[in-house]
Amino acid sequence: MESGTSINPNSMLCMSMIRILRQVLPIIHPRRSLNEVAFDAGIPLPYVMNAAFWLVKSNLCVAAAPVLRKNRYICVENVIPKIQSLQLAFWQDFGLKCRQHQFNWGGCSPPHIFVVISALTTKCLAQEGKKVVSSDPPTLGDAIASSGTGNEEIVYSMAVWLVARQIIVEMK
């Protein structure tokens, strides 16, 4: 190194982060754990976790609880005004993506945000020719199955979207 030239530790950190992100971002998926991503990318888990933390801290990503098929979801309190304020954003994200899908939830395609939330949080049971609402919400897997054939990815994406915006939360 020439005299008078110094290395900025922040720029080194940034370059290292960029290198990690270039390897990690193409293989990341909401259903994959950071451990799986680290393994597939061949990068130690602490480095992948640091990159994820940096993305969240930089407001480039939103931290969300894992969305799993076995989870049951309920609405947060006072959710109606929040849903109403997010109707347009939901349609903008899923309107065109859903046009080719047929949903068994009733209504049109794409389904309205209220229909999606209802399907994810309300379980209907058929008893002697009547529909009865169960006190337990369905699992995400049940809701996906009830949506119709070929809808798994889009329903899963909708669930992730709703969880990230704190409209639905996992039932404890």
Side-chain angles (χ1 to χ4, degrees):
M1 235 182 346
E2 296 178 22
S3 62
T5 305
S6 64
I7 297 175
N8 182 347
N10 288 334
S11 68
M12 293 296 288
L13 177 66
C14 187
M15 294 303 291
S16 173
M17 191 66 64
I18 290 170
R19 193 168 8 122
I20 291 168
L21 290 172
R22 280 189 178 154
Q23 289 179 269
V24 169
L25 289 177
I27 59 174
I28 208 139
H29 190 275
R31 292 188 195 176
R32 302 183 76 203
S33 69
L34 289 179
N35 194 29
E36 293 169 324
V37 170
F39 180 80
D40 289 349
I43 298 172
L45 180 60
Y47 291 105
V48 173
M49 291 178 72
N50 284 340
F53 176 74
W54 181 83
L55 287 170
V56 171
K57 187 176 177 185
S58 302
N59 292 323
L60 297 171
C61 288
V62 177
V67 177
L68 306 172
R69 290 181 66 92
K70 67 178 182 164
N71 291 358
R72 296 176 189 277
Y73 294 95
I74 56 174
C75 290
V76 297
E77 287 190 37
N78 300 318
V79 73
I80 300 299
K82 194 169 190 178
I83 294 171
Q84 290 172 331
S85 71
L86 290 171
Q87 287 181 73
L88 179 59
F90 184 84
W91 190 89
Q92 288 171 333
D93 283 352
F94 296 106
L96 294 177
K97 294 176 188 174
C98 288
R99 285 189 352 195
Q100 306 303 321
H101 294 268
Q102 197 65 20
F103 292 89
N104 295 338
W105 295 334
C108 57
S109 187
H112 193 278
I113 187 171
F114 283 102
V115 173
V116 174
I117 293 169
S118 177
L120 295 173
T121 60
T122 308
K123 186 179 207 174
C124 291
L125 306 170
Q127 269 185 353
E128 300 174 15
K130 298 178 186 176
K131 285 191 175 178
V132 178
V133 176
S134 169
S135 60
D136 280 336
T139 63
L140 177 57
D142 293 340
I144 288 170
S146 74
S147 72
T149 307
N151 294 332
E152 182 173 351
E153 287 294 322
I154 195 75
V155 173
Y156 187 83
S157 296
M158 290 174 179
V160 169
W161 193 93
L162 292 167
V163 169
R165 283 152 185 82
Q166 298 175 341
I167 293 173
I168 61 174
V169 294
E170 183 182 356
M171 186 174 99
K172 301 286 180 184

